[in-house]
Amino acid sequence: MSIFNLEKMVGTIDKLSTSLDVMLCCKDSEGGQEILETCEQLDSLIMSFDDQISILKDALIKEKNARQSSFQRQLDELKTIEERCNHMIVFTQLNTELETQQYNQNHEIKEYRGNNSTNMANISMSPVPKWKDGHSLSENTIHHTTMSNGTIMSNSMMGQSLKSQAAKQVLDIPLLKSINNDEMDSVPKYMKGRLTSLNVNVVIDGINIALENKYEILQKPRNLLKKKDQDIYNTWKIQQNDVGQGQYFVTADDISRFGETKVDKTTLNIIPILRHLKRLKESRTGGFVYYLPY
């Protein structure tokens, strides 16, 4: 390929200058011949200029293409670095979220285990109504009776048992039935989580105890109640109008007061299971939530 030659161009220009000088000085016929030769030299010079210009254009185009290729490579490298940085940022965020979620799950598991242990310690698995007998016998006057099946019971125990049975027959309180493992298996996984039938039955026992003690108070004449029982008696009567006459119900306060069950997050998670298994119904009236046994 041709290479731009500056010395050649300078020499050509010198020859052109000399030819022009000759043209100005020549006036004879030989001068015309020199003019023709000078024109040919000019044509040759123009062609040389064109060649040099073409060489310059080719060189500029090559330089431009080379720089564009270099810039494109650098741009591609920068894009690759940017993508890697974005991936690292996303990975860091996901890792932080996973660590936070794991921490929250561990905290909830510890809280659930603590609440479950407390409930198991405070709540009896068999609901027993709290009968208040004002004429309790002293230790010296307690007598024992042997039942037909060989069971030995004291007079006070027999009295409470008969009294409880009589109250249930008169009031006909619709107590909640315990659930079995098959029923628990039918509960959707998202609803029961890690809860078991044992956890649910603990809450059922607490609700049953609350029902028995509540309606034991309601069946007594108001003038025979203590002052604290009279206040709650009036509240229940107002709530009964909201729920409907003849409908048995308890509230979260009743469960906490009589059932010795803390109505916490675990208990509230069990309520939907009881609704699903048709043990409870809910009624929301006047800003209160009432739990109605089926």
Side-chain angles (χ1 to χ4, degrees):
M1 182 178 290
S2 300
I3 300 175
F4 179 75
N5 192 335
L6 182 60
E7 293 180 357
K8 183 178 179 181
M9 181 177 288
V10 173
T12 304
I13 293 173
D14 291 339
K15 290 180 181 180
L16 178 60
S17 177
T18 303
S19 298
L20 290 175
D21 292 339
V22 172
M23 289 174 61
L24 294 174
C25 296
C26 293
K27 296 181 180 179
D28 52 8
S29 58
E30 294 180 357
Q33 183 65 31
E34 292 179 357
I35 291 173
L36 292 175
E37 292 177 356
T38 302
C39 289
E40 291 177 356
Q41 291 178 358
L42 287 173
D43 291 337
S44 177
L45 180 61
I46 291 172
M47 292 178 64
S48 177
F49 280 154
D50 290 339
D51 291 340
Q52 297 299 322
I53 290 173
S54 297
I55 293 172
L56 286 174
K57 285 183 177 179
D58 292 339
L60 290 174
I61 291 173
K62 289 181 179 180
E63 182 67 19
K64 178 182 177 181
N65 293 336
R67 292 191 177 185
Q68 284 182 345
S69 299
S70 177
F71 289 156
Q72 187 63 41
R73 286 195 301 271
Q74 293 179 2
L75 182 61
D76 293 340
E77 291 177 357
L78 289 175
K79 287 183 178 179
T80 302
I81 294 173
E82 182 183 9
E83 291 178 356
R84 290 178 180 176
C85 291
N86 291 333
H87 290 163
M88 292 178 65
I89 292 173
V90 173
F91 175 78
T92 303
Q93 292 176 347
L94 290 176
N95 190 32
T96 303
E97 292 177 359
L98 288 174
E99 290 178 354
T100 303
Q101 185 178 5
Q102 183 67 30
Y103 173 80
N104 293 335
Q105 289 178 351
N106 292 336
H107 181 71
E108 290 180 358
I109 290 173
K110 291 180 180 178
E111 182 180 359
Y112 167 75
R113 288 176 177 174
N115 293 335
N116 189 38
S117 299
T118 303
N119 290 337
M120 290 295 295
N122 293 336
I123 301 177
S124 171
M125 291 302 298
S126 300
V128 179
K130 299 179 180 179
W131 298 103
K132 298 179 181 179
D133 191 355
H135 303 283
S136 59
L137 299 177
S138 63
E139 294 182 358
N140 296 330
T141 59
I142 293 178
H143 301 281
H144 295 83
T145 302
T146 302
M147 306 299 292
S148 59
N149 59 0
T151 303
I152 299 177
M153 297 181 64
S154 66
N155 290 345
S156 60
M157 292 173 61
M158 291 179 62
Q160 289 184 358
S161 177
L162 294 174
K163 187 176 181 180
S164 176
Q165 293 177 4
K168 290 181 181 179
Q169 292 176 357
V170 173
L171 295 176
D172 193 21
I173 301 174
L175 300 179
L176 279 62
K177 295 181 180 179
S178 300
I179 68 170
N180 53 41
N181 292 332
D182 292 337
E183 289 180 302
M184 196 63 184
D185 291 339
S186 67
V187 178
K189 180 65 177 178
Y190 75 90
M191 185 180 296
K192 64 183 177 181
R194 297 178 178 272
L195 295 171
T196 64
S197 58
L198 180 63
N199 304 132
V200 178
N201 285 331
V202 167
V203 176
I204 288 178
D205 292 340
I207 294 174
N208 286 338
I209 293 174
L211 282 168
E212 290 179 335
N213 285 275
K214 174 180 180 177
Y215 285 96
E216 177 193 353
I217 295 175
L218 284 174
Q219 74 170 342
K220 295 179 180 179
R222 186 177 181 280
N223 57 351
L224 298 180
L225 298 176
K226 297 180 180 179
K227 180 63 172 62
K228 63 176 183 178
D229 292 336
Q230 289 180 358
D231 295 337
I232 192 63
Y233 182 95
N234 295 333
T235 301
W236 286 337
K237 287 299 183 181
I238 295 174
Q239 293 175 347
Q240 189 71 61
N241 293 330
D242 294 336
V243 176
Q245 296 298 327
Q247 176 64 59
Y248 290 90
F249 71 94
V250 290
T251 63
D253 291 338
D254 298 335
I255 298 173
S256 299
R257 181 182 295 107
F258 297 111
E260 299 180 358
T261 301
K262 181 181 179 182
V263 183
D264 53 9
K265 182 179 179 181
T266 302
T267 304
L268 295 178
N269 289 337
I270 291 176
I271 295 298
I273 297 177
L274 297 179
R275 293 204 312 266
H276 178 77
L277 297 176
K278 297 189 181 302
R279 296 298 197 275
L280 275 184
K281 295 181 288 185
E282 277 190 11
S283 175
R284 298 176 180 268
T285 307
F288 291 94
V289 180
Y290 303 106
Y291 302 116
L292 291 63
Y294 267 88

